Structures are given as structure tokens and as C-alpha cells.
Amino acid sequence: MNNELTTTEKNVEQLDASATPSESWHDDSIYSPRFDCWESAEEIVMYGDLPGVMPEDLDIKFEDGQLLIHGRVQARHSDYEFRFGEYGLGDYKRSFHVGEMIDVDSISAELKNGVAIIRLPKSEHAKPRKIEVKSA
Amino acid sequence: MLASRWEPSVQMNRLRREMDRLFDHWGNGRPTSSRHTFPPLNLWANDEQLIVEAELPGFELEDLEITVTGGNRLRIAGERRPPEHQEGQWLQRERGFGKFQRSVDLPAYVDSNNVSAHLQHGVLTLTMPKREEARPRRIEVKVGD
């Protein structure tokens, strides 16, 4: 029991004021958001972590075969004094090459709890189809 | 096919770094040091309140367990579950999933009964009123004779 408690205590950190990086303010840094991509027979679904981006601040463009994702992040708590931080605040940018199998006119996107969900339906000719095998 | 391409101007994301730690440390025991901890926290303050913020995309408030004990020990725990799909496969996985917990000592004592938590657009904001004794007070300086 004693041992347990000691271990727990060790796990508690002191927030370290010396760790204050200037990047913890909203600055001109651009961050590359992490994405997961799922492929099914019908579509590719992309999930991107974009915390702090509001729907009106998310731009998704398709241009020259590229899907361009730009999320703007507003400064937060500017009426408070910034004490220290472990992550920076800045805009998110990332681009993906989109191949010809995607029906680009039907790409759709939503933003939920800071996660962008982008759906890229496959074009008809790219969808798998069953080949009938006739007996000779 | 879909492939990722790095913009030359784009810096490595700190989220990527953090989530790498996440993959390393979620669900398999304790972080080895404070630098290997999820979620990273930012802290703001004024005379009356502390604001602690964490980026937690994809979480609902009910996925999180937030407690303040002893007036200054903040604990945030939770779990992020991957999206469910019927058929298909992952082409690319960069985001982390699983359970996490983190405990930190706040730089001031707070009124733990009046902590408010908001989770909006994947950002958790904890607003904590400082205890009376933790607030700055002006010391009156008397002019001596």
C-alpha cells in the first residue's frame, strides 16, 4: 500500500515554468496535422486531428490533383497572462495527392470535436465489381 | 491512390511528436518522464483564475475524467476510441488511440468545487478559481517617521 502510494506520488509532475517556450503563443508556425485514412470499396475516408479549428476556419480545396487542407487557429485567452506551455498554437496545413480513382466533385467534409472527416468517393470505374464467371 | 506529401514550409507538428509518445505510452504503463506525457498542457492565469488547456480532438466530455484533489493536484484521464468501419482497411494511421492519464501539480491552490470544464472543437479548457489565499494582495506600504 505504502509502495503504491509512493509510485503514484512519483507520477505527479510539477508543471515546469522553465519549460516556457516562446512558441506556446499563437505565432506564425504552421503545424502539419496527423491523418488516418480508411479505404473501402466505395470511398476513402480521411480523419485529421485539427483541435481548435472552428468550421468556418477550415478551408479544404482541390487543386491540380492535390487536396489542400488549411485550418486557421485563433489566439485563445488573450485576456489572461500566458504562464507556460507544452504545445504551440498555430495554423494547420497539409496536402494530399488525390489519384484518378476519386470522384473529386463528390468530396465532402465535416468537422466534429476538432476532427476533420473528409470523404472521397471513388469514381464509378474505380469501384470493384464482381466478374461473372461463366461455365464453358 | 492517396499518398501524403510534406509541404517544404511545414514544420514537424508537435502533435505528431506528442502522439508518438502517445503510441509509446498509452496503455502500457507509466510515462518514463514528464516529456513523455499526454496530453500536453498550456496554462494561463490572472489574479482570480487559472486556465489549463489541453488539445483533445475526437473526445466527448464523457470520455474524460477530470479531478482536482488536495486543492492543487489535477488529474485528467480518458480514452479515445478509433472510428468503426465495416469493411475495408487502413491505408495510413498517424493518430493515437487508447487510454491515458496525467497528473500535475498546479502552481496555485484552487477552489476544486468550482472548476468548470469545457470541451469545444477538440480543445479542453479548465477554468479554476484561485483560492482566496492564492490571490495576489497589495501590501500597503506605510511611510515611516
Side-chain angles (χ1 to χ4, degrees), chain A:
Chain A
M1 192 63 197
N2 242 343
N3 195 20
E4 183 78 8
L5 190 65
T6 314
T7 315
T8 310
E9 290 293 322
K10 271 187 192 161
N11 250 353
V12 177
E13 311 147 54
Q14 300 290 325
L15 285 174
D16 182 7
S18 68
T20 305
S22 57
E23 65 172 322
S24 298
W25 300 85
H26 186 280
D27 51 33
D28 293 331
S29 297
I30 304 287
Y31 296 98
S32 176
R34 301 194 114 199
F35 268 87
D36 290 346
C37 299
W38 176 268
E39 181 181 19
S40 72
E42 300 290 316
E43 61 181 357
I44 289 171
V45 188
M46 301 170 60
Y47 299 88
D49 284 341
L50 297 160
V53 177
M54 288 174 260
E56 60 268 28
D57 290 331
L58 177 60
D59 283 334
I60 301 175
K61 261 196 307 195
F62 180 77
E63 197 177 291
D64 297 331
Q66 301 278 323
L67 190 68
L68 308 169
I69 298 148
H70 180 196
R72 285 181 303 279
V73 173
Q74 315 280 354
R76 303 194 281 258
H77 318 301
S78 45
D79 46 341
Y80 285 76
E81 185 191 336
F82 180 77
R83 287 295 173 79
F84 52 83
E86 297 170 332
Y87 60 91
L89 293 180
D91 286 4
Y92 300 98
K93 269 189 185 175
R94 192 151 177 194
S95 64
F96 292 88
H97 175 73
V98 175
E100 286 175 2
M101 66 190 290
I102 299 300
D103 175 8
V104 294
D105 293 327
S106 304
I107 296 175
S108 66
E110 62 177 305
L111 190 60
K112 194 185 175 209
N113 298 333
V115 178
I117 303 167
I118 307 170
R119 293 181 181 278
L120 303 97
K122 291 184 182 177
S123 52
E124 276 311 314
H125 69 266
K127 289 181 186 170
R129 59 199 71 206
K130 197 173 168 67
I131 312 293
E132 289 245 357
V133 180
K134 290 176 187 156
S135 54

Side-chain angles (χ1 to χ4, degrees), chain A residues 32 34-35 80 86-87, chain B residues 13 41 49 53 85 91 94:
Chain A
S32 176
R34 301 194 114 199
F35 268 87
Y80 285 76
E86 297 170 332
Y87 60 91
Chain B
N13 187 7
L41 304 171
Q49 293 176 317
E53 196 195 78
H85 287 280
L91 297 177
E94 299 172 347

Side-chain angles (χ1 to χ4, degrees), chain B residues 57-70:
Chain B
F59 286 84
E60 306 276 357
L61 210 45
E62 55 263 31
D63 299 329
L64 298 171
E65 194 187 298
I66 302 155
T67 53
V68 177
T69 49

Side-chain angles (χ1 to χ4, degrees), chain B residues 63-116:
Chain B
D63 299 329
L64 298 171
E65 194 187 298
I66 302 155
T67 53
V68 177
T69 49
N72 77 329
R73 180 155 299 164
L74 169 69
R75 180 178 178 272
I76 304 174
E79 180 170 12
R80 180 158 94 154
R81 294 177 187 84
E84 284 175 19
H85 287 280
Q86 295 302 318
E87 52 91 26
Q89 60 182 334
W90 289 107
L91 297 177
Q92 170 177 321
R93 302 200 77 174
E94 299 172 347
R95 306 186 308 149
F97 296 94
K99 288 183 182 173
F100 74 90
Q101 66 155 326
R102 186 175 185 192
S103 295
V104 295
D105 279 351
L106 300 167
Y109 281 88
V110 298
D111 176 3
S112 27
N113 293 323
N114 286 302
V115 172
S116 70

